[in-house]
Amino acid sequence: NNWTGPAGSHLVLRENYPKSNGQPGRYALRLPDGEMHFFDNNGNLDRIEDRFGNAVDLGYVTMQANGVTVRRLSIAKNAAVHSAVIFEYNAQGQLITLHDCGSGGYDDETGSCSSSDHRKIRFEHSGDDLAAVVSPEVSGYPDGKRTSYTYLLGTGALGHKLKTITDGEQNLPGAGDIPFASIDYYETGSQSERVKTITYRGCEGQG
């Protein structure tokens, strides 16, 4: 069965269309450049192929997040070169680590990176808020660069809105904790909750 998009879209959706690796595809969406997007029975994107057969396969995991059953992206891999990016979550369903196995660094048998020295990006959370992102190790930053975020407190309309961003360069000795950016919001009136000003290390910009 085929479905063709409206005039001008050049999209074709096919049912039960085979993938280039011979595996069955439940649904396949063909883009104008010949790229194919395959979807599983649940509507999740599970494979992207270009017109030459180069492909990235996507995998998912079912978990509980705050009492709700959810599906999260768990892996994106290229079997041809044994590379993969693996997504790790905490018990609340929040992303906590992105593992980049690199080319040739993915072990198909174990379903994990073959080396413990692979690149990692870490995500830290405070409740429902993203508190920090820590980069892989780079020169001068053996523990990675940390970009941290703070939020307005409270349960009202302004609660949990982004307040400050402190970038990784603040890890330099003596740099202190000067935010990279500070954000203020209108609290009342027709523009309530909208950004009022963004202060970039002492330079103020109007929202």
Side-chain angles (χ1 to χ4, degrees):
N1 295 327
N2 292 348
W3 176 86
T4 302
S9 72
H10 306 294
L11 298 177
V12 178
L13 180 66
R14 299 175 177 178
E15 188 176 6
N16 299 319
Y17 189 81
K19 303 174 182 178
S20 64
N21 60 1
Q23 296 296 315
R26 186 67 180 94
Y27 300 101
L29 182 68
R30 189 191 70 192
L31 277 60
D33 62 358
E35 185 172 279
M36 302 290 292
H37 290 193
F38 290 91
F39 300 84
D40 62 20
N41 289 332
N42 297 312
N44 296 307
L45 178 66
D46 66 0
R47 186 178 175 89
I48 300 173
E49 291 182 4
D50 67 17
R51 57 195 179 95
F52 303 107
N54 301 307
V56 174
D57 291 296
L58 308 175
Y60 298 83
V61 62
T62 300
M63 61 175 58
Q64 292 290 315
N66 296 321
V68 178
T69 301
V70 297
R71 286 177 65 79
R72 293 280 193 262
L73 180 65
S74 60
I75 189 170
K77 65 179 180 178
N78 184 328
V81 295
H82 300 284
S83 67
V85 174
I86 298 172
F87 303 84
E88 181 184 352
Y89 302 88
N90 62 18
Q92 288 71 47
Q94 298 169 321
L95 181 64
I96 55 173
T97 310
L98 187 154
H99 302 266
D100 181 1
C101 300
S103 181
Y106 177 69
D107 189 326
D108 290 288
E109 292 187 5
T110 63
S112 61
C113 296
S114 56
S115 170
S116 61
D117 295 331
H118 61 271
R119 290 168 57 86
K120 306 179 187 72
I121 300 176
R122 303 191 305 276
F123 303 85
E124 300 174 1
H125 303 268
S126 177
D128 293 330
D129 298 326
L130 177 65
V133 178
V134 184
S135 78
E137 176 184 346
V138 293
S139 177
Y141 298 87
D143 296 321
K145 288 186 178 183
R146 173 185 297 271
T147 300
S148 57
Y149 309 89
T150 65
Y151 301 82
L152 295 175
L153 302 177
T155 57
L158 292 176
H160 299 280
K161 284 191 176 293
L162 184 62
K163 181 180 179 181
T164 66
I165 303 171
T166 301
D167 69 323
E169 297 298 333
Q170 296 306 313
N171 290 320
L172 290 171
D177 295 317
I178 302 172
F180 168 80
S182 300
I183 306 169
D184 289 317
Y185 299 86
Y186 290 99
E187 298 183 14
T188 59
S190 60
Q191 299 192 78
S192 178
E193 302 178 44
R194 294 182 61 182
V195 173
K196 182 179 181 181
T197 58
I198 300 177
T199 302
Y200 172 75
R201 288 203 179 129
C203 299
E204 187 174 286
Q206 192 72 25

